Amino acid sequence: MACHHDPMATSSASAGALLHHVRTGRARSRAELVALTGAARNTVSARVDQLIAAGLLEEGGRGWSTGGRPPTLLRFNSAAGCVLAVDLGVTSVDVAVTDLSAQVLATVGHPIDIAEGPDRVLAEVDRLAQQVLAEAGLTPADVCAVGVGVPGPVEFSTGRPSHPPIMPGWHDHPIPSAFGRYGCPVFVDNDVNVMALGEMGVAGSVQDVLVVKVGTGIGCGIIVDGGVYRGAQGSAGDIGHIYVPTADGREVVCRCGQVNCLEAIAGGGALLRDAQAAGMPVTTTREVVERAALGDGQALELVRAAGRTIGTVLAALVNFFNPHRIVMSGGVARAGVPLLAGIREAVYARSMPLAARALEITVSEAPDLSGRVGAALMAIEGWLDEDSVHQALERAAVAR
């Protein structure tokens, strides 16, 4: 049997690694940490005691005995701080404050127009962030980190958008600077990568997964061994601008300036354009999707056709990447079965049998929440990296 390597389940017994194992449910006691890492019992106990003193771990209750004294159970102290999670879309933004297990404490959504530019939009985000903190009874000083998902390519190391086609005026804008009042790390990524993290959840996954968002644009979050794969510059997964030919040979200009990009043929805007051209009395993509979900014949065929086009691109990704599963999300994915039928038809027809043999293609179970949860998890993972945990232990030691 092929074995996937989980980079966080190594023999490392650093304080950060031990905290990660408990936080993600891989270990629940000192004994389990010893078994998982192979480290000496005294080493593990000393570092667990440091994590408890720093307020990051707690003891709680007794586990099952295997012959000796029942082990003392460990749990992550998710109330040790909070993070702000921002899911920024083209026409709306959702802001949440969560604990350190990504449980939402308060959240609010508001319509925006991303084309109004970063100054006006981020000022609104700041207002909403202060609102959710007040609702949760928290202050800016309680915020440990901020996670932001945006609908465009991002240079992850700097948090700056890079030539985003649907975000005019945002190129190279220093998004983290808008959150200076919190005095904490700010992590910014493409919204689909963030959504992919949300789909994996706190416990994560050792599977290889493609999370595909079909909305105004089309993008793909790539999960490799449970972690987001961003590529050399952070632009991995930008499948919306892969060239696809049309059946009738026509050329469709994309917002990026190229012709026949996938999102120009099968994205939300394309679906609305084609529905109106067919004479359907609709004014939004949501109406087309709702009609398809209700069984409208014209809408069903348009959604299935979009699914087949998307599936043709995904089939190439399946042959290249061989994922365990594909998860569909975004506004158009709300059409459900009709979209999946078109995607599956193309993927299973055009993928190699071995690559598609055990492949699962599903619709997200929580598309409305995955963006906020993913932004929170990105912030939490970033804040609880090795260096940050080490610094927290040093601060706790000085305080004592």
Side-chain angles (χ1 to χ4, degrees):
M1 175 182 286
C3 177
H4 276 269
H5 172 66
D6 177 2
M8 294 307 297
T10 65
S11 59
S12 170
S14 67
L18 298 181
L19 179 64
H20 181 85
H21 293 322
V22 175
R23 186 168 66 83
T24 57
R26 291 180 171 89
R28 298 182 304 154
S29 67
R30 291 172 175 82
E32 289 183 3
L33 286 170
V34 169
L36 184 62
T37 63
R41 184 177 298 274
N42 288 344
T43 299
V44 168
S45 290
R47 288 177 182 157
V48 166
D49 289 343
Q50 289 178 311
L51 290 166
I52 291 172
L56 293 172
L57 286 183
E58 297 176 323
E59 293 183 326
R62 294 281 185 177
W64 289 100
S65 172
T66 56
R69 187 174 64 180
T72 300
L73 296 179
L74 300 171
R75 61 172 178 250
F76 175 57
N77 180 17
S78 60
C82 68
V83 300
L84 283 172
V86 181
D87 183 15
L88 194 59
V90 175
T91 60
S92 65
V93 62
D94 290 299
V95 180
V97 58
T98 81
D99 67 12
L100 297 183
S101 289
Q103 292 295 311
V104 175
L105 305 176
T107 186
V108 63
H110 199 269
I112 54 113
D113 180 359
I114 200 75
E116 289 185 344
D119 292 337
R120 291 188 65 176
V121 171
L122 292 175
E124 178 64 13
V125 169
D126 184 54
R127 183 187 71 80
L128 296 172
Q130 294 181 63
Q131 180 180 328
V132 294
L133 285 172
E135 288 179 12
L138 298 166
T139 70
D142 296 313
V143 178
C144 300
V146 180
V148 185
V150 302
V154 174
E155 185 179 55
F156 185 72
S157 61
T158 64
R160 294 170 179 255
S162 178
H163 300 284
I166 56 177
M167 299 173 67
W170 288 76
H171 171 63
D172 206 34
H173 185 82
I175 292 176
S177 65
F179 301 90
R181 72 164 69 234
Y182 300 104
C184 66
V186 180
F187 303 91
V188 185
D189 202 355
N190 176 273
D191 59 351
V192 189
N193 287 343
V194 168
M195 184 176 287
L197 280 176
E199 291 290 340
M200 296 304 102
V202 175
S205 169
V206 295
Q207 291 189 332
D208 299 325
V209 183
L210 298 178
V211 178
V212 181
K213 180 183 179 182
V214 186
T216 305
I218 299 177
C220 179
I222 306 169
I223 300 292
V224 179
D225 277 347
V228 172
Y229 177 78
R230 296 184 173 90
Q233 305 299 332
S235 65
D238 198 357
I239 66 171
H241 299 284
I242 291 176
Y243 175 85
V244 292
T246 56
D248 56 7
R250 66 193 166 111
E251 290 191 341
V252 180
V253 178
C254 180
R255 285 172 299 187
C256 72
Q258 299 292 336
V259 297
N260 287 27
C261 292
L262 176 61
E263 71 176 48
I265 304 297
L271 197 61
L272 176 61
R273 177 196 65 221
D274 292 347
Q276 291 175 334
M280 292 178 60
V282 292
T283 57
T284 66
T285 303
R286 180 187 293 270
E287 291 176 56
V288 182
V289 170
E290 288 173 349
R291 282 173 170 261
L294 292 172
D296 179 278
Q298 276 186 307
L300 280 171
E301 182 48 41
L302 286 172
V303 169
R304 281 200 194 103
R308 284 191 289 268
T309 302
I310 294 166
T312 300
V313 171
L314 293 182
L317 300 184
V318 168
N319 286 333
F320 174 77
F321 182 59
N322 188 203
H324 292 87
R325 355 179 228 135
I326 297 174
V327 180
M328 305 302 302
S329 192
V332 177
R334 296 175 193 274
V337 172
L339 183 74
L340 280 183
I343 290 172
R344 286 170 173 160
E345 176 186 334
V347 168
Y348 293 129
R350 302 183 68 89
S351 298
M352 296 300 291
L354 181 60
R357 185 169 64 189
L359 176 67
E360 297 179 27
I361 306 176
T362 61
V363 173
S364 170
E365 294 180 356
D368 292 331
L369 198 56
S370 59
R372 278 164 286 174
V373 170
L377 288 171
M378 175 173 64
I380 293 164
E381 294 286 353
W383 184 66
L384 292 178
D385 65 9
E386 288 285 351
D387 290 341
S388 298
V389 171
H390 181 69
Q391 291 169 11
L393 298 189
E394 287 186 335
R395 289 193 298 270
V398 170
R400 294 199 301 271

